[in-house]
Amino acid sequence: MSCSLLPFCHFQDLAAARDFLCPHLRPGGAAAGRESVDKSPNWEDDGWGAWDEAETQEPEEEEEEESACKTQTSYWLQDCVLSLSPANDLMVIAREQKAVFLVPKWKYSDKGKEEMQYAVGWSGSLNVEEGECVSSALCIPLASQKRSSTGRPDWTCIVVGFTSGYVRFYTETGVLLLAQLLNEDPVLQLKCRTYEVPRHPGVTEQNEELSILYPAAVVTIDGFSLFQSLRACRNQVARAAASGNENIQPPPLAYKKWGLQDVDTIVDHASVGIMTLSPFDQMKTASNIGGYNAAIKNSPPTMSQYITVGSSPFTGFFYALEGSTQPLLSHVALAVASKLTSAFFNAASGWLGWKSKHEEEAVQKQKPKVEPATPLAVRFGLPDSRRHGESICLSPCNTLAAVTDDFGRVLLLDVTRGLAIRMWKGYRDAQIGWIQTVEDLHEREAEKMVFSPFGSTRSPSRVAQFLVIYAPRRGILEVWSTQQGPRVGAFNVGKHCSDKKSERAKDMHLVKKLSALLKAKTSNLDVVEAEAKELILDIKYPATKKQALESILASERVPLSSLSNITQTLMDTLKKQEFVCVDEGLLQFCANKLKLLHLYESVSKLNSLSMQPSTPLSDNDLAKLLRLDEKVFARLQTLLENYKQENIQTTIRFADDKDGILPVKMFLEYLEYEKDMILVKKLDEGEYVALGSFFFWKCLCGESSTEEMCHTLESAGFSPQLLLSLLLNVWLSKEKDILDEPQSVCCLHTMLSLLSKMKVAIDESWDSQSVSPWWQQMRTACIQSENNGAALLSAHVGHSVTAQITDSMAEKKFSQTVVGADTDSWEALSLDTEYWKLLLKQLEDCLILQTLLHSKVRNRTTRVSSLQAEPLCRLSVKKLLEGGKGGIADSVAKWIFKQDFSPMILKLAQRKKETERTEEPVEIDRNVSLEKPGAEMGMETILELLHLAYQQFPCSLELDILHTHCCWEYVVQWNKDPEEARFLIRSIDHLRCIVNAHIQHGIALMMWNTFIVKRLSAATYLMDKVGKAPKDRLCRRDVGMGDTAMTSFLGSCSDLLQTLMEADVSSDEMQAPVLDTEDAWLSAEGPISIVELALEQKHIHYPLVDHQSVLCTILYGIMRFSLKSVKPLSLFDSKGKNAFFKDLTSIQLLPSGDMDPNVLSIRQQFLMKAVSAVVQVQCSAQKAGGLPEEAPLPSEKDKDWPALALDLAQHLQLSEDVIRRHYVCELYNYGMDHLGEEAILQVHDKEVLASQLLVLTGQRLAYALLHTQTKEGMELLARLPPTLCTWLKAMDPHDLQNLEVPIATTAKLVNKVIEHLPENHGQYSLALNLIEAVEAISS
């Protein structure tokens, strides 16, 4: 939304109006000041006076008396009563008894333009009673009743209120039509409400009305009655003037008079009109007035609403019941209604006409009768005792009202609810009004573009209301959107509406016009240039001129030539002005912008000139240029080629992107002048590179003259340091293009040599024993750059140019010294060269490392975690120096994690490759990498790069250090996503690969304390609570991972503790390692490395770790085999429970001595249950013909659960032989007799085992003879001894897990039983009978 102020009319002969209304202010009078008032008819001159005190500047020599007179002259209009007709066709200015009526007329101004001007139409005195003065005035346009009317008002009636209480009605020519004394108090205010068609059905129709406010009463006159009376009086006046008869009989005038009660002071009022309460509001009002027993009528009453502002209350709401309808509320409302029905309709009395003097005096002596007012009490209000209202203005829709107060606030009232819904602060002495805009239905339909198949369904136009606030003390006119809307417009109209000549507003208008001109689509740019010149020269204020020039320079459509011409024209115009009037800031601004435009033109011209490409240098020439021997240069080329293949970032480039081209708009925004020096504003990296490319890219490509460019930039005011910064930014950011074009190194060498020869580039007083700030700036840029290839090349060029300049300085010194003197210059050369050599070594290391980190195995087919898919950050020398001693190994560890390489890859890379590989790489890759056989491409290259990194960083990438960082990286990433159990497994794999036990012990303990112990504690208490392997949902809730991941986690915990115990034992047999750092990275400072932290860890308490390891193995078994009815903590006594999850380096009280038999019984039941589950899994695997399907991880095949069970039995103080016997019985129970025969060899008490197996043999025979129900079986059963038959019938074959065991296998089992049973055993004879039975069955 946009809004603007448009001039409607100017004023003419304002000085004449002032002279008539204020004769004491006439020139030459007693009150006249030293300066005479200008009689010019131009409204812009001094006729209005300086309304603002701040703008009234009196000469120092003027006396106080004259100052007071001058001030009185300036503010004469403030003491007048003003009223403007709504049709803008009449304005009234009245003071005391006199009035001037101004009417608009078309006239020519001083500039020769025809414009509307207010001129004096009538002037005279209005008073009739002695001593009365005008207190209020109102212009009411009256509509014509003729059929040929065009809608314009027929005539305008001027209503004037006097301090005597009289209200008089006049024509535009000052003829009195009607007068009446309605109250003996002064008239405070006159307001009129006209008729409007209701916009919505159900809205009460509002009648026309004139309201007159007195200090304690309000009189309302019906609009229709007033119109008829004024029309009749005007006709009678016309007839009387035509006939000469002065006797006029005016018609009666009906009015209502209300005495406003319970209010201290009334200053302003608003007549809202007739309203009807809703049923809810009716009941609420009745309850408030009449209490609980209030009577409610069926039809709601119709009433007129009045709002007053003043004090006590600040805002009062009055309601007057209309007509003779019976009240709907309580007796109080009935009383009000009865008073309303007694409201009288009084005939006009005391008419003033053209009578004789005698009769006139008689009438004056006898005052007309003043009827008493009907009392009307305030119903409610806003009782703010300290706030005093000043004015109120009702919105056009009668729903809102704006109120001003003496606190400088503007309040927005909801008329219907009687609430203040919004407040504006800081508007002292404010004036308020409303604007209502109606929607254009054609525009709305065009925007919607909705075509209804049922024809047009056009809704009524929407209406928007805006509150206009004029703050005279701030000189601003604001337009606000109601009710919660923002400010939509603001205008500087000057304090007290007297923005003299409106220069600032005119300037802003010219700026907007200029903005529209720059946005307009036109092909004739010469016309745009000419109009822009005219507009910017017409602007008066320098700040606005600067704003306009900035908008022109920021335009993308104006060509460079036009920008230069406009700026030059403005600067020439400023120089032609008087020195006192010239704004130095604006002049300097124009000069600076003009210099930048000329510089842009010069650089663009140099870039556009095509040069003959120079002959490419050979590799030998480039090596000599960089001062390198052939072998070093060849190595540099190899490193850069490897880096280019693996490392260059892919960037998206569009067809219209061109290097070295910068729009003039951007150029002007990037640069600024300060004391004849060009500075670059604070830019982001892309903008900085774009500016540098504009200057140097063509030169680096050999397409522009390097010497001329440097001379142009130096002459323009660029410092060498700024140019060096821009050059290096371009070079380092264009790495891909530079590596593709090696000849650019020669151009950089030339450019750097020229910049180094500029003044103040290298300080002449530079001490040979210190570092040159010039070269240090270049080295700092290389150190911070992440584009290591370009940084390494620029460092070689910088080293070469440094040596060249230092050599020339040394030769100059040699020529001035005696032969044989000390060669201090060579010492300076060696000192400065050392910094370059150090940087070159660091950059080469960083380049090799960056090449490695961006290499990867292509076509990976395994699942990649989202954590592994995240790209690695690019390296720089600065990052490696700030990363501390472990930063290099940490970077490689992150790369290994992203590639998910096996720890064996790190060992393979250390082998020196003397001969070409044959089949070994493929075989090795398959075994040590997670990749599929089809994804082995590039592994040899990676091994070579890793081997090269080992050679470059023999200390930082020592194998134990690298395994340590890989171990830590994997566990950190696992902690981010515990569902990725393979990360924790791989971390422990790296942990086991660490050779030095001190490092292995420390890093394992750190892993336990940082990542493991809290989750293990949560898993333990969860499993103990549910008494079995918990389900997936519970695992995720309490431990933060699913049940499958938790199973693997518990197994890894057991492995971690086992490794920790082994490292604790081995650490006593070896020394702690000595950590070294490469010479080039001794200055690295940063966080302490993981290895150093690991070596600082305390030694563990071995029995406590062993105790914790037993719990981990138990938990792992429960989850792995989904055991039920097992509470892991019930397997330990109170001492054992309290020792869990404590600091592993502390001394805890552990179980000792004999254990409670109940606990031992529970432990034995658990182990036997676990062994049964192990055998069940083995049986399932045997049937499947492979590994168990339940094993989710590759490491599961390494677990020897029978051996683990025996180890647990030893720790839990159980008999190992009991577990062995149970294991053998379970193997035979599941039909795995071949495994059982092997396991029997480990059993010590074979006699007990034989008796157990005898029962199992009987179950098998019972199933074969009794449960198969075959004829042969029955016959055989009949031949068996009775004792054996009875024993077999007592067997329950349902306890067998495998019923399909061949009889031959059972025969072997019987032989095993006979073999281990002694002859004196009670069941030996039974075993012999079983042999006969088995043989009979098998035969």
Side-chain angles (χ1 to χ4, degrees), residues 883-958:
K885 294 183 178 181
I888 296 172
D890 185 63
S891 301
V892 178
K894 285 182 169 56
W895 169 73
I896 292 174
F897 166 74
K898 302 295 183 184
Q899 302 300 318
D900 207 2
F901 288 141
S902 166
M904 291 301 297
I905 290 286
L906 307 184
K907 294 182 179 180
L908 290 174
Q910 279 193 324
R911 299 178 183 176
K912 295 182 179 180
K913 309 177 193 65
E914 299 176 355
T915 60
E916 293 184 0
R917 296 174 180 264
T918 56
E919 298 180 357
E920 184 182 358
V922 177
E923 182 180 352
I924 289 173
D925 288 348
R926 289 181 179 178
N927 292 332
V928 301
S929 176
L930 289 183
E931 304 296 331
K932 298 296 181 182
E936 295 155 6
M937 182 176 57
M939 184 59 72
E940 291 187 9
T941 304
I942 288 176
L943 288 174
E944 291 175 0
L945 292 174
L946 190 56
H947 179 70
L948 182 60
Y950 285 160
Q951 291 178 335
Q952 206 75 11
F953 300 97
C955 300
S956 298
L957 293 183
E958 195 270 330

Side-chain angles (χ1 to χ4, degrees), residues 762 766 804-814 825:
I762 300 178
W766 166 59
Q804 176 184 336
I805 294 177
T806 312
D807 287 349
S808 63
M809 293 174 60
E811 292 177 2
K812 187 177 180 181
K813 277 190 175 184
F814 275 131
S825 62

Side-chain angles (χ1 to χ4, degrees), residues 358-568:
H358 177 72
E359 293 174 347
E360 203 171 300
E361 291 176 357
V363 172
Q364 290 177 359
K365 290 178 182 179
Q366 183 181 0
K367 282 193 173 183
K369 180 182 178 182
V370 178
E371 298 293 342
T374 302
L376 186 62
V378 62
R379 178 170 294 180
F380 61 86
L382 301 179
D384 192 339
S385 59
R386 297 189 305 145
R387 192 184 303 271
H388 297 271
E390 294 181 346
S391 65
I392 183 173
C393 185
L394 190 66
S395 69
C397 65
N398 292 352
T399 58
L400 302 172
V403 178
T404 62
D405 60 18
D406 58 343
F407 286 170
R409 269 60 164 174
V410 176
L411 285 84
L412 186 65
L413 299 182
D414 186 328
V415 171
T416 306
R417 295 184 296 167
L419 300 176
I421 58 178
R422 191 173 185 182
M423 178 183 288
W424 290 267
K425 297 182 179 181
Y427 292 89
R428 194 170 296 277
D429 301 331
Q431 298 177 28
I432 50 179
W434 292 87
I435 294 177
Q436 179 172 278
T437 59
V438 182
E439 180 188 25
D440 189 347
L441 289 177
H442 297 288
E443 291 184 2
R444 184 168 71 178
E445 293 299 330
E447 290 177 1
K448 289 184 176 181
M449 293 298 292
V450 176
F451 300 98
S452 174
F454 303 103
S456 176
T457 56
R458 178 176 297 179
S459 57
S461 300
R462 293 176 294 185
V463 174
Q465 297 185 92
F466 300 92
L467 178 63
V468 182
I469 306 176
Y470 169 58
R473 299 200 177 193
R474 291 190 290 158
I476 189 172
L477 184 72
E478 297 179 341
V479 183
W480 289 83
S481 177
T482 53
Q483 302 176 7
Q484 289 86 22
R487 190 177 75 172
V488 298
F491 307 95
N492 292 319
V493 296
K495 297 184 179 181
H496 302 290
C497 289
S498 65
D499 191 8
K500 198 170 183 181
K501 298 184 181 179
S502 296
E503 290 181 351
R504 192 175 299 276
K506 179 183 176 183
D507 283 357
M508 295 308 297
H509 174 70
L510 292 174
V511 170
K512 291 181 179 180
K513 189 174 180 181
L514 177 62
S515 178
L517 173 66
L518 297 176
K519 293 179 182 179
K521 296 181 180 179
T522 177
S523 58
N524 194 342
L525 297 178
D526 294 336
V527 175
V528 174
E529 177 185 342
E531 293 185 5
K533 284 182 182 178
E534 182 180 356
L535 290 172
I536 200 171
L537 293 178
D538 287 343
I539 296 175
K540 302 296 182 183
Y541 284 90
T544 314
K545 278 183 182 290
K546 182 180 178 182
Q547 178 185 351
L549 183 58
E550 287 175 343
S551 65
I552 294 174
L553 296 175
S555 174
E556 297 179 353
R557 299 180 58 252
V558 183
L560 176 63
S561 59
S562 298
L563 295 178
S564 302
N565 294 338
I566 294 172
T567 309
Q568 186 68 53

Side-chain angles (χ1 to χ4, degrees), residues 626 727-728 731-732 738 745 748-749 752 775 778-779 781-783 785 787-802 836 839-840 843:
L626 297 179
L727 175 63
L728 292 177
W731 177 268
L732 296 174
I738 288 168
V745 174
L748 177 64
H749 190 282
L752 191 58
W775 300 118
M778 185 174 180
R779 285 192 291 266
C782 296
I783 288 173
S785 175
N787 297 317
N788 299 284
L792 181 59
L793 282 176
S794 62
H796 275 291
V797 173
H799 174 250
S800 173
V801 176
T802 303
W836 280 113
L839 177 60
L840 289 172
L843 286 172

Side-chain angles (χ1 to χ4, degrees), residues 180-239:
Q180 188 163 8
L181 182 64
L182 302 174
N183 200 27
E184 293 184 347
D185 295 327
V187 175
L188 297 182
Q189 198 175 51
L190 298 169
K191 285 192 176 181
C192 178
R193 185 182 69 244
T194 187
Y195 172 79
E196 269 195 28
V197 179
R199 295 188 62 250
H200 303 288
V203 177
T204 307
E205 187 175 275
Q206 302 296 334
N207 297 325
E208 295 176 328
E209 181 183 75
L210 173 66
S211 59
I212 306 166
L213 179 66
Y214 293 94
V218 61
V219 175
T220 61
I221 303 175
D222 179 66
F224 180 75
S225 174
L226 177 63
F227 177 77
Q228 296 296 340
S229 299
L230 292 176
R231 180 186 174 195
C233 290
R234 188 164 179 261
N235 293 336
Q236 289 189 21
V237 168
R239 293 194 196 98

Side-chain angles (χ1 to χ4, degrees), residues 237-247 354:
V237 168
R239 293 194 196 98
S243 61
N245 184 12
E246 296 182 356
N247 188 12
W354 287 268

Side-chain angles (χ1 to χ4, degrees), residues 306-319:
Y306 303 98
I307 305 176
T308 62
V309 294
S311 60
S312 299
F314 156 64
T315 303
F317 291 81
F318 298 83
Y319 295 89

